[in-house]
Amino acid sequence: GQQVMQIPQYQHVQEGEDFTTYCNSSTTLSNIQWYKQRPGGHPVFLIQLVKSGEVKKQKRLTFQFGEAKKNSSLHITATQTTDVGTYFCAAGGSQGNLIFGKGTKLSVKP
Amino acid sequence: DSGVTQTPKHLITATGQRVTLRCSPRSGDLSVYWYQQSLDQGLQFLIQYYNGEERAKGNILERFSAQQFPDLHSELNLSSLELGDSALYFCASSVSGASPLHFGNGTRLTVT
C-alpha cells in the first residue's frame, strides 16, 4: 500500500541548533499535512501543503512541498526546548484516508 | 482542547477479553478515524467512517471491528485480546477526508 517515508527517525540537537525532517513518497501526493505530538500527548495539526513548490512559514517553522509533489520537509530554526516532540507527515491515501509517516522524534538539550 | 472525546482514558484487561473504545467527534465533523500507536511507534491507520458508512480500511485485524452511529459517535471493538494489542488507540475526526484531523487524547489499552 501507499507509504510515506520519513527521516531521520530520531534527532538530538542542542538548543539553538536547527532541525530538519524529511518526508518522501514514491507517488505524487495531492497534499501533505504535518502534525506534532508532544510527549504523552496526541498529534496536533500544524499545516497543510497543497501546491507544487509551496513554502509556508509559522514563526521558526518552515514547511516545503517539493516541485514534483513527492517530498516535503519541515525545518525549525534555532530550536527551543518547547519544540520537543515527534513530528509526523501525513499524506492522503488512495481510499481517501490519511497515511502517516513513522515520525521524527526531536529531543532538545538545553 | 481538540473537541474530540475518547473514553475510557485507560483500560487494563486480560488476554482473551473483549473491550469497546468510544469516540465522540468534534461538533460538525462527519469523518471519524481510528489509529493505533504502539510504544515509540508511528500511527497505524485502522479504519475510517464518514457519516455512518465505512470509507477506508487499513491494517485492521479481523478481531477488531468498528462502527459509526447515527449521532456520529464511533466505537472500536477489540476482541480475543493479545498482549501485542497493548497500545494507545487514537480517534480523530475531520470535516471531510482531505481536511486536517483533530485527535482525541487517546485510550491506553494494557493487556496482561
Side-chain angles (χ1 to χ4, degrees):
Chain A
Q2 180 176 2
Q3 289 186 346
V4 284
M5 307 302 294
Q6 200 173 345
I7 55 170
Q9 192 174 357
Y10 300 96
Q11 187 79 56
H12 309 282
V13 301
Q14 192 78 34
E15 189 173 20
E17 290 181 341
D18 291 358
F19 158 77
T20 305
T21 173
Y22 301 89
C23 189
N24 297 292
S25 170
S26 58
T27 60
T28 302
L29 304 171
S30 58
N31 67 81
I32 196 151
Q33 299 177 16
W34 286 92
Y35 292 77
K36 176 184 179 181
Q37 184 177 19
R38 293 181 187 272
H42 60 271
V44 174
F45 171 75
L46 293 177
I47 208 158
Q48 177 170 284
L49 305 172
V50 179
K51 299 177 185 175
S52 168
E54 190 169 15
V55 178
K56 285 188 176 180
K57 292 191 175 186
Q58 289 179 352
K59 296 183 181 177
R60 294 177 296 103
L61 277 61
T62 302
F63 304 84
Q64 293 191 36
F65 202 6
E67 293 291 340
K69 299 181 77 173
K70 287 186 175 183
N71 58 76
S72 181
S73 65
L74 158 59
H75 179 84
I76 302 179
T77 303
T79 55
Q80 300 174 359
T81 54
T82 53
D83 295 325
V84 163
T86 301
Y87 293 85
F88 294 97
C89 63
S94 56
Q95 302 178 73
N97 55 323
L98 206 58
I99 306 295
F100 281 77
K102 290 192 180 297
T104 297
K105 191 171 184 176
L106 172 65
S107 63
V108 180
K109 189 174 181 182
Chain B
D1 181 15
S2 68
V4 178
T5 304
Q6 283 189 253
T7 57
K9 268 189 171 180
H10 302 278
L11 205 46
I12 302 175
T13 189
T15 53
Q17 295 299 305
R18 172 190 167 96
V19 296
T20 297
L21 313 184
R22 183 189 167 102
C23 170
S24 293
R26 209 172 58 132
S27 177
D29 286 356
L30 299 179
S31 271
V32 169
Y33 303 74
W34 286 97
Y35 287 88
Q36 180 193 57
Q37 186 174 46
S38 301
L39 193 64
D40 277 349
Q41 293 295 311
L43 293 154
Q44 295 295 318
F45 170 68
L46 296 178
I47 199 163
Q48 176 200 358
Y49 283 85
Y50 179 81
N51 203 21
E53 300 284 329
E54 182 184 304
R55 177 62 65 91
K57 217 167 186 175
N59 298 321
I60 186 166
L61 300 171
E62 284 192 14
R63 301 183 285 108
F64 295 2
S65 65
Q67 54 183 326
Q68 186 179 28
F69 295 87
D71 67 352
L72 300 179
H73 91 269
S74 178
E75 292 180 356
L76 178 67
N77 301 295
L78 316 176
S79 61
S80 303
L81 285 168
E82 301 175 359
L83 295 177
D85 297 328
S86 296
L88 196 50
Y89 290 84
F90 283 109
C91 168
S93 72
S94 71
V95 172
S96 66
S99 304
L101 300 189
H102 300 270
F103 282 80
N105 289 330
T107 293
R108 182 166 296 283
L109 173 66
T110 303
V111 183
T112 62

